[in-house]
């Protein structure tokens, strides 16, 4: 009964998550661990992801496993709500999705972040994403000279 | 609460985010956020083998007489920006392809370039005098009429050896092609002349001949190959090849005199469209193509509004 098999994941802050093997298999990283070592009832550590983020990622994996037959619109609505999150949460999520290697989740978050750039000035983007401006005044002037239309 | 520093995001992830941007303005601004992102944007621009993604369309409007600046009309923001394109000086823009302009210089040897007005990158192609049918005396036919339509197979760059540029050219509207770095244009052998439109579709160039659509063979013996007969239609129409939802469509735009009382004015207006769908296996155009995904709009500049054709 392969499908009812459970897998235990351990977050960086020590919390245990007991989930269906099929849910865990959506992460290619975990898939490789399971294929390589085939641990029976063993705990798989996920040292790069904390409990709060891991539970959110697993929520995504569960939804996308169960609802494979849901029609496209329902699905995209759920996805849209899922990434309607604070910027720091998106950061943690994309780092976790990258570490766990879940391509559809990575795409979903990238799409969300790109949509937050729409029509924003570089200053506003730096503010939203907490990024230091490491360009000199001259370089900034140069951008405006070359492609001034994009900064109006 | 932002304890996170997004400039620390791994490069692959920043590249993926960059790839989702759909507006030229967003793409430029992305590269000016920080040095790291600037590098990502710069490298992405050089990766010409990436499949093209559709960007939101913008219209490039010619400069006023007293003003050297072009205007870029943004359909998304519904406004026009002034854009300086120094490389356009003394040149005529004869065609555009996926954000690139194909320009021809007004003086001998009539240099031809692919120019990206956003990035300023220019790719030089063989000049117009290297066509087998080189431009006639400009007193006879102005150089602005020499290149009728130019289509590219992929993003041009000196390192992209797979990029092919096909042109409908000369008074006879013949077909010729070249690659960046070539010394001359090569005319395709063809019994037919007066090609109307040109399209790159699924790894081949197609053109509209008088009675048929032809495929362009750019192998050792460059020539046109008959592909599918065209549906017979009336006069006074413009003909186009269009790709939509992976289909090759043949579009007819019917024209009629705008001012019937005074035909000497020769002012025409579009009256209707007809769309045919190509069955590539049977090599036949179907009857009227019915779809909800293909629509024709006319842009009214005064009202800044799109009008949908029925």
């Amino acid at each position: 009964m392969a499908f009812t098999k459970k897998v235990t994941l351990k977050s960086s802050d020590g919390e245990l998550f007991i989930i269906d093997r099929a849910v865990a298999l959506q992460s290619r990283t975990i898939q490789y661990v399971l294929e390589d070592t085939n641990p029976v009832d063993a705990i798989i550590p996920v040292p790069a992801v904390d409990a709060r983020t891991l539970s959110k990622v697993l929520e995504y994996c569960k939804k996308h496993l169960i609802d494979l037959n849901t029609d496209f619109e329902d699905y995209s609505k759920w996805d849209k709500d899922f990434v309607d999150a604070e910027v720091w949460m998106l950061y943690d999520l994309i780092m976790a999705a990258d570490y766990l290697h879940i391509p559809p989740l990575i795409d979903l978050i990238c799409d969300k972040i790109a949509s937050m750039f729409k029509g924003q000035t570089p200053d506003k983007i730096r503010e939203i994403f907490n990024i230091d401006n490491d360009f000199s005044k001259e370089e900034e002037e140069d951008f405006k000279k070359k492609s001034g239309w994009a900064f109006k | 609460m932002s304890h996170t520093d997004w400039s620390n995001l791994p490069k692959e992830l920043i590249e993926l985010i960059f790839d989702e941007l759909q507006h030229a303005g967003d793409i430029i601004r992305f590269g000016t956020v920080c040095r790291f992102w600037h590098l990502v944007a710069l490298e992405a621009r050089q990766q010409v083998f990436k499949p093209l993604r559709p960007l939101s369309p913008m219209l490039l409007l010619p400069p006023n007489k007293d003003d050297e600046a072009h205007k870029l009309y943004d359909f998304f923001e519904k406004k026009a920006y002034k854009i300086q394109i120094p490389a356009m000086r003394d040149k005529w823009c004869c065609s555009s392809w996926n954000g690139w302009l194909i320009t021809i210089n007004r003086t001998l040897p009539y240099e031809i370039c692919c120019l990206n007005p956003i990035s300023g990158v220019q790719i030089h192609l063989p000049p117009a005098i290297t066509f087998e049918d080189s431009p006639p005396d400009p007193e006879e036919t102005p150089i602005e009429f020499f290149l009728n339509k130019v289509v590219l197979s992929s993003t041009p760059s000196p390192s992209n050896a797979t990029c092919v540029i096909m042109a409908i050219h000369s008074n006879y509207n013949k077909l010729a092609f070249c690659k960046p770095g070539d010394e001359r244009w090569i005319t395709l052998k063809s019994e037919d002349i007066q090609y109307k439109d040109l399209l790159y579709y699924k790894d081949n160039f197609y053109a509209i001949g008088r009675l048929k659509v032809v495929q362009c063979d750019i192998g050792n013996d460059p020539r046109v190959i008959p592909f599918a007969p065209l549906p017979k239609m009336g006069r006074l129409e413009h003909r186009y090849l269009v790709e939509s939802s992976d289909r090759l469509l043949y579009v007819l735009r019917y024209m009629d005199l705008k001012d019937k009382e005074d035909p000497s004015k020769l002012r025409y207006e579009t009256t209707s469209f007809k769309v045919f769908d190509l069955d590539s296996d049977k090599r036949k155009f179907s009857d009227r193509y019915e779809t909800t995904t293909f629509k024709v709009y006319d842009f009214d500049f005064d009202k800044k509004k799109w009008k949908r054709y029925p």
Side-chain angles (χ1 to χ4, degrees):
Chain A
M1 293 292 281
F3 289 109
T4 55
K5 246 188 186 168
K6 296 282 181 185
V7 170
T8 305
L9 305 183
K10 186 180 176 187
S11 69
S12 63
D13 41 358
E15 207 169 302
L16 297 181
F17 292 83
I18 301 164
I19 52 166
D20 287 343
R21 189 185 159 97
V23 171
L25 282 178
Q26 292 195 52
S27 153
R28 291 197 192 157
T29 306
I30 293 177
Q31 187 190 336
Y32 294 143
V33 174
L34 289 171
E35 277 170 6
D36 279 0
T37 58
N38 200 17
V40 182
D41 296 332
I43 293 168
I44 302 171
V46 189
V49 184
D50 64 17
R52 185 174 54 193
T53 315
L54 189 56
S55 75
K56 188 108 172 131
V57 170
L58 293 175
E59 189 191 327
Y60 175 90
C61 292
K62 275 178 204 156
K63 180 73 184 176
H64 279 245
L65 181 75
I66 298 161
D67 284 356
L68 278 179
N69 296 322
T70 320
D71 67 51
F72 183 73
E73 259 168 54
D74 281 355
Y75 218 46
S76 62
K77 164 98 176 60
W78 190 91
D79 281 355
K80 199 169 163 265
D81 291 343
F82 182 79
V83 288
D84 187 14
E86 299 269 347
V87 173
W88 57 265
M89 188 45 149
L90 291 176
Y91 182 89
D92 289 348
L93 272 177
I94 197 172
M95 292 297 270
D98 187 43
Y99 174 80
L100 290 167
H101 202 165
I102 310 170
L105 180 55
I106 297 174
D107 287 346
L108 176 64
I109 303 166
C110 286
D111 187 49
K112 166 72 182 178
I113 295 164
S115 75
M116 294 165 79
F117 290 164
K118 236 181 214 171
Q120 300 287 9
T121 62
D123 277 336
K124 188 75 191 166
I125 294 173
R126 285 186 210 110
E127 189 193 315
I128 298 172
F129 295 97
N130 189 28
I131 294 169
D132 287 332
N133 182 2
D134 52 2
F135 289 115
S136 68
K137 278 239 148 45
E138 291 74 25
E139 284 170 314
E140 288 201 298
E141 283 305 309
D142 195 42
F143 294 142
K144 283 181 186 158
K145 216 168 109 192
K146 269 189 193 147
S147 324
W149 67 271
F151 297 96
K152 273 168 199 152
Chain B
M1 178 172 166
S2 50
H3 64 282
T4 47
D5 181 356
W6 285 74
S7 55
N8 283 337
L9 214 60
K11 191 156 166 255
E12 312 86 70
L13 292 180
I14 297 175
E15 282 167 353
L16 288 175
I17 294 168
F18 179 80
D19 282 348
E20 297 285 346
L21 300 176
Q22 283 168 2
H23 190 277
D26 290 334
I27 288 174
I28 287 175
R29 289 186 293 267
F30 180 97
T32 64
V33 170
C34 63
R35 282 179 193 281
F36 189 31
W37 291 17
H38 185 74
L39 182 79
V40 169
L42 210 65
E43 282 181 4
R45 198 175 270 169
Q46 284 158 358
Q47 285 175 357
V48 292
F49 299 107
K50 270 192 181 174
L52 285 165
R53 62 194 145 135
L55 293 183
S56 351
M58 296 209 268
L59 263 188
L60 191 67
L61 309 175
N64 298 330
K65 276 190 184 131
D66 48 343
D67 187 348
E68 283 278 293
H70 284 68
K71 286 194 188 74
L72 206 54
Y73 184 79
D74 183 343
F75 294 116
F76 173 68
E77 302 268 354
K78 291 203 172 79
K79 46 182 188 186
Y81 304 97
K82 266 192 185 178
I83 175 171
Q84 300 284 349
I85 316 174
M88 278 299 289
R89 196 179 294 261
D90 299 327
K91 285 177 186 164
W92 170 255
C93 172
C94 39
S95 210
S96 72
W97 178 88
N98 276 309
W100 290 79
L101 306 175
I102 290 76
T103 63
I104 186 162
N105 206 303
R106 288 197 169 95
T107 50
L108 275 165
Y110 307 121
E111 186 184 68
I112 299 171
C113 275
C114 296
L115 166 69
N116 187 315
I118 304 291
S119 67
V121 172
Q122 273 195 93
I123 307 292
H124 293 266
L125 303 178
I129 51 160
T130 67
F131 279 95
E132 206 176 287
D133 292 82
S134 56
D137 184 349
E139 299 280 307
E140 231 171 81
T141 315
I143 192 67
E144 284 86 346
F145 291 93
F146 183 69
L147 287 176
N148 201 322
K149 171 132 187 177
V150 182
V151 169
L152 284 71
S153 67
S154 56
T155 304
S157 118
S159 60
N160 182 1
T162 62
C163 174
V164 176
I165 298 112
M166 187 72 70
I168 298 179
H169 69 285
S170 84
N171 290 348
Y172 308 105
N173 286 326
K174 292 185 179 183
L175 291 164
F177 73 99
C178 73
K179 293 176 181 177
D182 277 359
E183 287 192 354
R184 56 180 57 252
W185 291 81
I186 297 164
T187 304
L188 297 182
K189 268 189 217 155
S190 163
E191 283 172 10
D192 213 351
I193 52 168
Q194 300 299 354
Y195 286 97
K196 293 294 180 206
D197 196 16
L198 184 59
L199 178 77
Y200 188 72
Y201 169 77
K202 293 191 176 167
D203 304 328
N204 276 299
F205 287 97
Y206 294 87
I208 301 177
R210 268 180 305 178
L211 301 168
K212 54 191 177 279
V213 165
V214 297
Q215 203 178 47
C216 303
D217 178 352
I218 52 166
N220 291 331
D221 179 24
R223 65 206 160 93
V224 301
I225 306 167
F227 192 75
L230 286 172
K232 270 191 190 151
M233 284 298 136
R235 291 173 145 250
L236 275 185
E237 80 246 0
H238 285 267
R239 306 145 166 218
Y240 308 91
L241 286 177
V242 174
E243 181 180 354
S244 174
S245 306
D246 263 358
R247 312 287 305 173
L248 179 69
L249 305 178
Y250 175 54
V251 178
L252 294 175
R253 175 159 71 108
Y254 288 89
M255 315 282 286
D256 206 351
L257 282 171
K258 196 170 186 176
D259 195 350
K260 291 212 172 70
E261 309 283 295
D262 186 5
S264 60
K265 275 187 186 161
L266 284 176
R267 287 182 62 204
Y268 290 93
E269 64 178 350
T270 303
T271 53
S272 64
F273 286 93
K274 259 187 188 166
V275 182
F276 298 86
D277 175 25
L278 179 77
D279 182 330
S280 3
D281 296 330
K282 289 185 189 154
R283 296 198 171 194
K284 216 182 143 189
F285 282 97
S286 72
D287 287 341
R288 187 117 186 221
Y289 182 55
E290 300 282 350
T291 173
T292 50
T293 58
F294 184 81
K295 295 178 188 119
V296 181
Y297 292 86
D298 185 20
F299 190 67
D300 183 331
F301 266 99
D302 300 325
K303 292 183 192 148
K304 293 195 170 162
K305 265 188 179 164
W306 291 96
K307 177 189 150 202
R308 167 134 187 236
Y309 272 90

